[in-house]
Amino acid sequence: MHWTRSLFLAPLLLVVCSLPARADVTIFLGTQSDPSTRATRGISAGTGFLILGFEGEYAQAGGDDACPPSLEECTPSLRTIMLNVLLQTPRGILPRVQLYATAGGGYYRERFEPLDETNKGLGTNVGGGAKIGLAGPLRVRLDYRVFRLTGDAVHRTSQRFTAGLNLAF
C-alpha cells in the first residue's frame, strides 16, 4: 500500500520541483487613508510558481507632526511588515499584464508622534492589483489593499493605493 502512494507522489513531486521559480522586487509610493490621506512608501519582494506567489513587504505611512490631544483626531504614522499569498495569472497569459489577488498578515506599529503614544500588534490585509510590462524585466505595479489592525489600534481599518517600479527576474 505504501509503495503505491510513493509511486504516485514521486512523479508529482518531480513536476512541482522542476517548475521555474520567478521572483520580483518592487519599490512603491502611494497613499494610505484613515483618518486622513497621507503618503506611504515601501518595498516588497516575492516569488511565484505558475499561479501561486508569496511576498514579504515593508511599508511606512507618515503621520501628523502636530495634532489635538485626542488620539481619535490625530493621524498616526503606520509601519507594516506583512507576509502575503498571491493568486495570480501566469506570466505570458495576458500580453504584458499580470493580474493578482492577495491576502496576508503580519506586524504593525501605529505611532502618534506628537503625543508620544505607540500601539503595536498584528494585522491582516486583502487586495489586488496588476503588474504591467514596460521593457524587458521592468514593470509598473499598481496595488490596492485594505488593512485591518487588531489589539489596541486606534484606527483599525485603512485603505492603501500604491504605484511602483517592479523588477522581475
Side-chain angles (χ1 to χ4, degrees):
M1 181 67 117
H2 291 288
W3 68 271
T4 57
R5 187 178 335 167
S6 296
L7 188 61
F8 173 74
L9 290 177
L12 181 64
L13 187 59
L14 279 174
V15 168
V16 170
C17 290
S18 67
L19 293 174
R22 304 281 183 141
D24 64 19
V25 175
T26 305
I27 55 170
F28 58 85
L29 297 171
T31 60
Q32 184 95 25
S33 69
D34 198 23
S36 65
T37 302
R38 67 240 194 232
T40 189
R41 64 187 186 282
I43 187 167
S44 66
T47 187
F49 304 94
L50 287 180
I51 64 169
L52 187 64
F54 303 94
E55 173 182 76
E57 173 193 279
Y58 170 85
Q60 174 76 43
D64 288 339
D65 291 332
C67 60
S70 167
L71 289 180
E72 289 78 19
E73 298 172 20
C74 188
T75 300
S77 64
L78 180 64
R79 178 177 297 162
T80 57
I81 301 171
M82 298 283 165
L83 298 175
N84 300 305
V85 175
L86 288 81
L87 186 59
Q88 55 198 3
T89 58
R91 289 187 192 174
I93 296 296
L94 298 172
R96 304 176 59 85
V97 177
Q98 185 176 31
L99 303 174
Y100 63 90
T102 182
Y107 167 83
Y108 77 88
R109 185 194 77 181
E110 182 184 54
R111 176 122 173 93
F112 298 88
E113 307 287 344
L115 305 175
D116 198 29
E117 178 79 25
T118 302
N119 298 318
K120 300 175 185 177
L122 300 177
T124 59
N125 72 82
V126 296
K131 299 173 187 175
I132 304 163
L134 292 176
L138 189 60
R139 303 184 290 182
V140 169
R141 182 173 176 176
L142 304 175
D143 188 273
Y144 171 77
R145 309 239 176 146
V146 176
F147 288 83
R148 177 80 174 136
L149 309 179
T150 62
D152 294 331
V154 174
H155 303 289
R156 293 186 177 274
T157 303
S158 68
Q159 300 176 58
R160 184 182 78 195
F161 177 75
T162 60
L165 285 178
N166 177 270
L167 181 63
F169 50 94

